[in-house]
Amino acid sequence: GESVGLHLPTLSVQEGDNSIINCAYSNSASDYFIWYKQESGKGPQFIIDIRSNMDKRQGQRVTVLLNKTVKHLSLQIAATQPGDSAVYFCAEKAAGNKLTFGGGTRVLVKP
Amino acid sequence: SAVISQKPSRDICQRGTSLTIQCQVDSQVTMMFWYRQQPGQSLTLIATANQGSEATYESGFVIDKFPISRPNLTFSTLTVSNLSPEDSSIYLCSVDGTVQETQYFGPGTRLLVL
């Protein structure tokens, strides 16, 4: 079977509750940040992005918060659903269009 | 967003052989990227492939092991050569979005080396 997320930290959340996934990034020169969702057997899927000149951006049921002072990024998922069960990765982009990925967090939604 | 396909979706190979992975995009893109995702881990960039020039490899990845072709603006291949069990991973291609700065990923190729 698929081994994505096998060794990653796991966040267990009750269906209907809010989820918060955290990410520490490394490069203070990064100016663009992305959250991806990776389901078993699939490639990473874009969720939401944020530029470094913003500290908050909202999408449908998701919010990304950026704290450049401490180089911290978070993804909030409102009213978590079973379909939200996946591995979530943050990624940062500095010069050269190269993405650097964080370690990932596995989200497990309990019914 | 771009629609990206990869072939094969998965394969089982014997050590010492090679596997070539194809990546096809439904629109012309300048930059294509190849990543490796080892079991239970995050994604690591192998190289950036631009049409008409040599691929640019990241630290720890070399052309002899991971030769890349980029014959046109919609297609690229990654070959994983002289396979060993340590090469068992998911290999993903991605492209830059035309409107957003984000990258879009293909479904990945799951490689198991015996």
Side-chain angles (χ1 to χ4, degrees):
Chain A
E2 186 67 38
S3 59
V4 170
L6 188 64
H7 305 298
L8 300 175
T10 298
L11 172 68
S12 292
V13 59
Q14 202 69 39
E15 181 179 357
D17 288 351
N18 297 334
S19 304
I20 299 177
I21 307 164
N22 296 302
C23 176
Y25 65 93
S26 57
N27 187 351
S28 56
S30 293
D31 58 3
Y32 180 66
F33 304 87
I34 311 166
W35 279 100
Y36 287 96
K37 171 186 180 183
Q38 187 175 26
E39 296 175 279
S40 183
K42 298 183 179 179
Q45 175 188 1
F46 171 85
I47 302 174
I48 192 168
D49 58 357
I50 189 168
R51 294 194 132 278
S52 58
N53 60 355
M54 304 171 67
D55 53 19
K56 180 179 180 179
R57 190 160 188 228
Q58 289 185 292
Q60 186 177 15
R61 279 203 307 120
V62 294
T63 301
V64 54
L65 299 177
L66 175 63
N67 185 331
K68 295 181 290 293
T69 303
V70 295
K71 292 190 286 187
H72 183 268
L73 196 65
S74 69
L75 177 70
Q76 301 177 2
I77 304 174
T80 311
Q81 303 170 358
D84 296 325
S85 292
V87 177
Y88 291 80
F89 294 99
C90 67
E92 58 183 300
K93 182 185 279 193
N97 283 345
K98 294 193 298 185
L99 283 182
T100 301
F101 278 78
T105 299
R106 180 169 175 258
V107 172
L108 182 62
V109 181
K110 297 179 288 185
Chain B
S1 64
V3 177
I4 305 167
S5 60
Q6 288 185 231
K7 289 181 181 180
S9 59
R10 59 179 66 240
D11 206 344
I12 301 174
C13 298
Q14 297 296 320
R15 67 176 68 203
T17 63
S18 298
L19 177 70
T20 296
I21 302 167
Q22 299 178 6
C23 179
Q24 180 76 51
V25 191
D26 69 341
S27 57
Q28 294 184 337
V29 294
T30 303
M31 301 174 79
M32 296 179 78
F33 306 87
W34 286 99
Y35 290 82
R36 181 177 70 184
Q37 187 175 24
Q38 294 178 300
Q41 298 192 28
S42 186
L43 283 75
T44 301
L45 181 64
I46 298 172
T48 302
N50 289 332
Q51 193 264 338
S53 63
E54 291 280 336
T56 303
Y57 289 83
E58 297 301 303
S59 175
F61 297 96
V62 295
I63 188 170
D64 289 348
K65 176 67 175 177
F66 298 99
I68 287 172
S69 78
R70 182 80 200 275
N72 57 53
L73 292 174
T74 63
F75 186 79
S76 178
T77 67
L78 168 74
T79 299
V80 189
S81 303
N82 190 24
L83 290 167
S84 69
E86 292 72 33
D87 295 318
S88 298
S89 292
I90 303 171
Y91 293 88
L92 298 135
C93 71
S94 73
V95 303
D96 273 341
T98 53
V99 176
Q100 297 171 285
E101 289 184 67
T102 192
Q103 283 184 18
Y104 297 98
F105 283 82
T109 295
R110 284 139 186 87
L111 170 61
L112 176 64
V113 183
L114 301 177

